[in-house]
Amino acid sequence: MKRAKGAAAGQVRIIGGSLRGSVLRVADAPGLRPTPGRVRETLFNWLQPFIAGARCLDLFAGTGALGMEALSRGARAVTFVERDAAAARALQANLQRLNQDKGDVRGADAFDYLRGTASPFDIVFLDPPFAQALWDDAARQLEAGGWLARNALIHVESPVEQMPALPANWQLHRERCAGQVRHALYRRAAADPLD
């Protein structure tokens, strides 16, 4: 499991915003892969003009590091979706300990959640377990299900050697590789009704 520089085992440190330096306690869950600190730093530099007041969805939340960084930097609300019960409990405990009442943890499978009633999000963090290759299906459900605001931004993390098949109206805004991880920020354009 990759950890933020300066964080002990079972911990991830928030790197910016009002919660900078705060430690997130991390559950010991199979396949949990926190987004590395340098990736989070780059991503939130990209998101800096958009994050304040945004409604965010941390799908496949895991440690919740991305959603917590968003709250730290002024997001209006973050919904964390995590199916592993221990990880979801750890997320809830971190929100309570850090007095973050704008975070909402949903202990659910991401696809079950996406079959529910949609409410559009401004920013979505899409970082499923790499071994399960869930990007394509999750992206299709986000797009088709009404989960994305008109000009939503979607952050996608994937292995360098694997390029997810994303909806045609998701336009690449920025991308970078860090070790074996490719992370990219897409901007949603309105879908062509003739497609």
Side-chain angles (χ1 to χ4, degrees):
M1 177 167 77
K2 297 178 184 175
R3 293 178 181 88
K5 185 178 177 182
Q11 299 178 343
V12 175
R13 193 173 301 278
I14 300 296
I15 59 173
S18 64
L19 298 174
R20 182 179 182 171
S22 297
V23 170
L24 302 179
R25 295 178 186 134
V26 177
D28 184 16
L32 196 61
R33 184 192 42 78
T35 299
R38 64 184 170 169
V39 171
R40 283 183 282 134
E41 184 172 4
T42 299
L43 169 62
F44 283 93
N45 285 340
W46 294 345
L47 290 176
Q48 194 262 336
F50 313 104
I51 197 73
R55 288 189 70 246
C56 303
L57 173 62
D58 193 349
L59 197 60
F60 306 98
T63 66
L66 293 173
M68 293 295 278
E69 289 282 357
L71 287 172
S72 182
R73 296 161 191 258
R76 176 171 44 130
V78 177
T79 299
F80 299 85
V81 179
E82 175 52 50
R83 76 175 181 179
D84 183 88
R89 283 192 303 273
L91 261 167
Q92 188 63 53
N94 284 324
L95 286 166
Q96 289 173 347
R97 186 173 47 81
L98 296 173
N99 299 313
Q100 296 301 303
D101 61 357
K102 296 177 182 175
D104 177 33
V105 178
R106 305 293 178 95
D109 176 81
F111 293 101
D112 289 342
Y113 177 79
L114 292 176
R115 282 190 282 275
T117 303
S119 177
F121 289 94
D122 304 304
I123 298 172
V124 174
F125 304 108
L126 181 55
D127 181 19
F130 281 10
Q132 296 178 27
L134 303 173
W135 299 275
D136 303 358
D137 289 341
R140 277 193 298 274
Q141 286 195 35
L142 284 164
E143 181 62 39
W147 293 99
L148 302 173
R150 181 176 178 81
N151 295 310
L153 294 163
I154 307 99
H155 177 251
V156 179
E157 281 185 50
S158 61
V160 169
E161 70 279 359
Q162 187 167 358
M163 179 65 81
L166 303 174
N169 62 315
W170 290 17
Q171 301 169 347
L172 183 63
H173 181 62
R174 301 259 176 104
E175 80 178 315
R176 190 169 283 179
C177 293
Q180 297 302 307
V181 176
R182 173 186 176 269
H183 63 108
L185 186 63
Y186 293 86
R187 182 185 295 275
R188 179 183 185 265
D192 185 339
L194 300 178
D195 285 347

